[in-house]
């Protein structure tokens, strides 16, 4: 079972976008986020946006003086996709008038891109752009593991998770220290969070050192090794349900005698299920991995990490100048809005219930037909199924606003001195 079909027709996107950008896109909250209280004052005006228009027309180095200019241009262009880039040394729209050496990306949120296609070797229900309820838990696990590490290991507080609109999730770390990080520092964080490494032809992609496991890995295993691995790999994926899948798991074991021993024990057990195989695998390793095979004692943990640990596109995180799809875009293929995700309720997030642009326009039409004057005083998106996702974004903004309030007072004080 793959990506559920909705009534949305991609050919209808040009018809719906003008309405969406006029009545749904949350310009006020969006500007408030990217303006960061106006400290420094050119933070928003020096921010790069890129637009992808109909027929794949791509416009880079767009920039806007204020919310009104941004709103006017978006409604004029009706972009199929909006990407957010860095805050530059000069206004991006003046890029051609500035010497190349002087035009530099100065700051940007620390971002992460997690795409389901990177898990194709450990999911057996879907592949490529398709997703379903059996593989989506990988994104739930990713949110939990990465969020915990960003908060506990690095001390970040202002983290926004966003559904990509189709098959993955994006993470925006908005703390001031994160926005000011150098490319070297971003690379270090991305590498720290990268545990699954290796190409398509490499069977075993996780290698833990013998002895004490790093506390961050231990914390990730606490999340994965509880209900998550059992629910995802054993129950939803039936990861040892075929001979081919069993051989794939055994390829993790470098010792032939161990491989034969595991299979001999498994053949004597009934019923022949993924749950049975996993128990045999764990117990055999635990019993047989004596001092001479001590490095094999980590195999169960390595297996769980390879099947469930987050897989990052590290290049997205490393570059200050790398663009990332904006929240509240509409994915042109699915019609779904790129909505914020409440990390505390990650298990409850269902990508198939995320509203499509056609659904929102239908809901709005129903509201417009209702002669209820009180509704007209409420923003359109709050009257539809987009409202609950805006609530998540509002909560994120309220917490973020507290960090720049003191800076605004300080800046105003400086202005009065001159």
């Amino acid at each position: 079972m793959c990506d559920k079909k909705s009534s949305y027709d991609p050919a209808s996107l040009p018809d719906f976008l003008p309405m969406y950008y006029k009545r749904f896109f949350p310009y006020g909250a969006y500007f408030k986020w990217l303006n960061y209280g106006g400290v420094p004052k050119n933070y928003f005006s020096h921010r790069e946006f890129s637009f992808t228009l109909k027929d794949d027309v791509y416009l880079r180095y767009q920039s806007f003086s204020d919310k009104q200019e941004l709103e006017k241009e978006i409604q004029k262009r009706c972009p199929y996709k909006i990407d957010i880039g860095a805050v530059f040394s000069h206004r991006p729209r003046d890029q051609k008038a500035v010497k190349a050496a002087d035009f530099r990306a100065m700051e940007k949120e620390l971002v992460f891109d997690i795409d389901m296609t990177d898990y194709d070797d450990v999911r057996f229900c879907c592949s490529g752009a398709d997703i379903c309820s059996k593989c989506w838990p990988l994104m739930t696990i990713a949110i939990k593991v990465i969020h915990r590490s960003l908060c506990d290991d690095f001390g970040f507080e202002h983290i926004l998770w966003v559904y990509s609109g189709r098959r993955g999730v994006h993470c925006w770390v908005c703390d001031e220290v994160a926005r000011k990080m150098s490319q070297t520092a971003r690379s270090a964080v991305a590498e720290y969070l990268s545990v699954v490494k290796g190409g398509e032809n490499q069977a075993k992609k996780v290698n833990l050192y013998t002895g004490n496991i790093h506390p961050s890995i231990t914390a990730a295993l606490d999340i994965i090794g509880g209900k998550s691995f059992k629910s995802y790999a054993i129950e939803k994926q039936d990861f040892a349900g075929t001979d081919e899948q069993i051989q794939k798991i055994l390829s993790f074991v470098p010792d032939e005698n161990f491989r034969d021993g595991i299979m001999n024990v498994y053949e004597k057990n009934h019923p022949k299920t993924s749950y049975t195989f996993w128990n045999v695998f764990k117990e055999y390793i635990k019993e047989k991995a004596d001092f001479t095979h001590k490095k094999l004692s980590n195999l169960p943990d390595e297996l769980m990490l390879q099947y469930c640990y987050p897989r990052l596109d590290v290049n997205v995180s490393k570059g200050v100048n790398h663009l990332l799809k904006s929240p509240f875009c509409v994915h042109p293929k699915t019609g779904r809005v790129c909505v914020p995700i409440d990390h505390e309720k990650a298990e409850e997030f269902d990508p198939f219930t995320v509203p499509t642009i056609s659904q929102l326009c239908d809901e709005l039409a129903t509201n417009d037909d209702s002669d209820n004057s009180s509704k007209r005083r409420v923003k359109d998106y709050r009257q539809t199924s987009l409202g609950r996702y805006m609530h998540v974004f509002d909560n994120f903004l309220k917490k973020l606003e507290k960090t720049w309030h003191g800076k605004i007072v300080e800046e105003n004080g400086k202005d009065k001195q001159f």
Side-chain angles (χ1 to χ4, degrees):
M1 182 182 83
C2 292
D3 195 344
K4 298 177 183 177
K5 305 297 181 185
S6 69
S7 58
Y8 167 77
D9 176 6
S12 68
L13 185 63
D15 299 324
F16 288 118
L17 278 176
M19 178 66 74
Y20 178 79
Y21 284 129
K22 182 178 180 181
R23 301 187 63 177
F24 286 100
F25 196 89
Y27 297 100
Y30 188 79
F31 172 78
K32 184 181 288 186
W33 166 40
L34 294 175
N35 191 46
Y36 289 96
V39 182
K41 296 189 184 304
N42 61 5
Y43 211 83
F44 184 81
S45 62
H46 284 205
R47 170 81 70 166
E48 179 191 2
F49 296 86
S50 76
F51 293 166
T52 303
L53 309 182
K54 188 178 180 181
D55 300 323
D56 290 326
V57 175
Y58 186 53
L59 304 177
R60 270 204 77 171
Y61 301 115
Q62 307 295 296
S63 61
F64 310 98
S65 300
D66 51 32
K67 179 182 79 73
Q68 289 73 24
E69 191 175 5
L70 169 74
E71 183 172 354
K72 182 179 179 180
E73 190 67 11
I74 288 179
Q75 291 183 7
K76 173 186 173 183
R77 298 279 191 178
C78 285
Y80 278 40
K81 181 187 175 191
I82 302 171
D83 287 295
I84 300 174
V87 176
F88 280 83
S89 53
H90 300 75
R91 294 189 304 181
R93 65 187 179 194
D94 297 335
Q95 176 244 353
K96 291 183 179 180
V98 178
K99 290 182 180 179
D102 295 334
F103 186 69
R104 303 184 309 278
M106 306 298 288
E107 295 186 17
K108 195 192 71 175
E109 295 77 9
L110 174 63
V111 295
F112 300 95
D113 181 8
I114 307 173
D115 194 314
M116 193 74 82
T117 56
D118 293 325
Y119 294 83
D120 278 357
D121 62 317
V122 292
R123 59 177 183 146
F124 311 106
C125 49
C126 305
S127 64
D130 291 327
I131 62 169
C132 73
S133 59
K134 291 183 178 180
C135 56
W136 184 257
L138 286 168
M139 295 297 105
T140 303
I141 295 169
I143 291 172
K144 288 182 174 182
V145 170
I146 298 299
H147 196 94
R148 185 221 63 80
S149 185
L150 291 172
C151 291
D152 296 349
D153 301 345
F154 294 97
F156 295 128
E157 298 181 35
H158 306 284
I159 303 168
L160 176 66
W161 287 94
V162 180
Y163 172 46
S164 72
R166 190 174 194 181
R167 60 177 183 256
V169 294
H170 298 154
C171 177
W172 299 76
V173 185
C174 302
D175 299 63
E176 183 178 8
V177 66
R179 303 197 309 270
K180 293 180 179 298
M181 287 174 74
S182 66
Q183 181 164 326
T184 302
R186 293 167 193 266
S187 298
V189 175
E191 291 299 332
Y192 177 90
L193 293 170
S194 297
V195 173
V196 182
K197 299 179 179 181
E200 292 182 10
N201 298 324
Q202 185 172 332
K204 187 168 178 286
K205 300 178 182 178
V206 177
N207 292 283
L208 301 178
Y209 295 107
T210 54
N212 294 329
I213 298 175
H214 192 281
S216 180
I217 302 297
T218 302
L221 283 167
D222 288 341
I223 295 170
I224 294 168
K227 296 179 181 178
S228 296
F229 180 79
K230 178 183 175 183
S231 175
Y232 170 70
I234 297 175
E235 296 174 0
K236 289 184 169 62
Q237 294 297 321
D238 193 18
F239 83 128
T242 67
D243 291 340
E244 182 182 357
Q245 290 168 343
I246 287 175
Q247 290 306 312
K248 181 177 181 178
I249 296 169
L250 290 176
S251 69
F252 282 53
V253 185
D255 188 287
E256 184 177 355
N257 292 329
F258 267 53
R259 293 196 295 269
D260 293 341
I262 291 168
M263 282 307 298
N264 288 336
V265 176
Y266 177 63
E267 290 297 336
K268 296 174 185 177
N269 276 263
H270 295 282
K272 296 288 188 295
T273 65
S274 290
Y275 190 76
T276 303
F277 183 84
W278 176 237
N279 282 335
V280 168
F281 184 89
K282 287 191 301 180
E283 292 303 316
Y284 190 91
I285 297 296
K286 181 179 179 181
E287 180 182 344
K288 301 293 183 179
D290 55 21
F291 181 77
T292 58
H293 295 89
K294 196 170 183 180
K295 64 180 181 179
L296 300 183
S297 62
N298 286 330
L299 278 172
D301 287 343
E302 290 170 337
L303 186 72
M304 287 192 290
L305 291 170
Q306 181 151 332
Y307 272 79
C308 295
Y309 191 88
R311 302 185 177 196
L312 308 176
D313 183 342
V314 293
N315 291 323
V316 172
S317 304
K318 290 179 178 181
V320 181
N321 194 22
H322 203 293
L323 293 112
L324 186 64
K325 185 192 298 180
S326 169
F328 303 108
C329 275
V330 176
H331 196 290
K333 293 283 197 280
T334 65
R336 295 192 182 106
V337 180
C338 300
V339 294
I341 300 172
D342 184 347
H343 73 91
E344 293 182 347
K345 299 178 181 178
E347 298 96 337
E348 299 176 18
F349 181 83
D350 181 353
F352 302 112
T353 62
V354 170
T356 63
I357 188 172
S358 54
Q359 176 188 336
L360 291 173
C361 290
D362 287 344
E363 291 174 7
L364 191 61
T366 301
N367 286 332
D368 286 346
D369 289 340
S370 173
D371 186 22
N372 189 336
S373 59
S374 64
K375 282 186 176 180
R376 295 174 187 170
R377 293 193 294 270
V378 179
K379 290 187 181 296
D380 290 323
Y381 53 74
R382 299 197 187 279
Q383 301 179 43
T384 65
S385 50
L386 188 58
R388 65 190 181 103
Y389 301 102
M390 276 305 305
H391 181 68
V392 176
F393 193 61
D394 289 341
N395 287 338
F396 160 77
L397 275 181
K398 286 176 184 176
K399 187 177 177 183
L400 186 61
E401 277 184 280
K402 294 177 182 178
T403 67
W404 67 57
H405 178 70
K407 291 182 178 295
I408 294 173
V409 173
E410 182 181 338
E411 287 295 316
N412 288 341
K414 289 180 182 178
D415 290 344
K416 290 177 181 178
Q417 293 175 16
F418 296 96

